[in-house]
Amino acid sequence: MNAATPLAGRVAVVTGASSGIGEASAELLAALGARVVVVARRVERLDDLVVRIGEAGGQASALAADVTDAAAARAAAERVAAELGGADLLLNNAGVMLPAPIEELTADQWQRQIDLNITGLMNVIGAFVPQLVEAAGTRGVADLINTSSIAAQNIFPNFAVYSATKAYVTHLSRHLRAELGAKNVRVSAIEPGIVGTELQSHVTDEGARAWLEGSKETMEWLTPQDVAQTVGFIASLPPRANLQQVTIMPTGQPS
């Protein structure tokens, strides 16, 4: 294994790749030698990302898909299998954060978070886990990395539904590790604190927006590149080593 490109020969699928953590992780995984497939709904952004990765010397291709559509997720997996022989690294990263007091009864926002953060996650797992298991049997290792949140562990008023979806991600990841680890598929959950991404721009509740803006005065937020470095480290470990759960926090964020 080349120390500069420890992921050479691997095929990495990244969902939610049109911005933020997914975008930064795709760029880093490509720099580490992986052939990256970027998946999201916004085709133009994916195409721009593929060009940037290519200009930096990496390899990438784009697949436009809405992961809340199970058929679309399966079709994406079929293309990866047909064109690249299957994935051996999956960063399951697509998600949305829409905090609001529960008494506001924003049922449409509750459902949107459940649809993307839970159902979308499961659609992608269902589509790609068979490829991961097959790849692990051949090369001795494959990786399923799920993006969770510190909200899965800690209590944040007005973030109840979002936090519950992320608790699902973390607990699911631990169970999948128990199932898949014996088959050489490493499963990891990354739980970042506040990261400066598009997620904040989606927030409509004024109280939550004010809290997020106020936090900038007391701490320096993480960048997507900080989380991407964590993804790259997890995937570059020797096959015998699996980081089950990683919490990465802004130094100034207390909880």
Side-chain angles (χ1 to χ4, degrees), residues 1-2 5-12 29-30 32-36 59 84-89 135 138-139 141:
M1 183 174 66
N2 188 317
T5 54
L7 303 183
R10 299 191 64 179
V11 176
L29 294 173
L32 294 175
R35 176 73 164 84
V36 179
Q59 300 180 74
L84 299 172
D88 59 53
L89 198 167
T138 301
R139 66 180 300 133
V141 68

Side-chain angles (χ1 to χ4, degrees), residues 3 11 20 28 40 42 49 69 100 115 132-133 147 149 155 165 172 182-183 186 192-193 198 206 211 221 237-238:
V11 176
L28 181 65
R42 294 177 291 187
L49 176 57
D69 180 343
D115 288 346
L132 299 180
V133 171
T147 302
S149 168
I155 306 302
T165 66
L172 174 80
K183 298 181 179 180
R186 302 184 294 196
E198 280 190 357
E206 288 302 320
W211 179 81
W221 289 1
L237 286 168

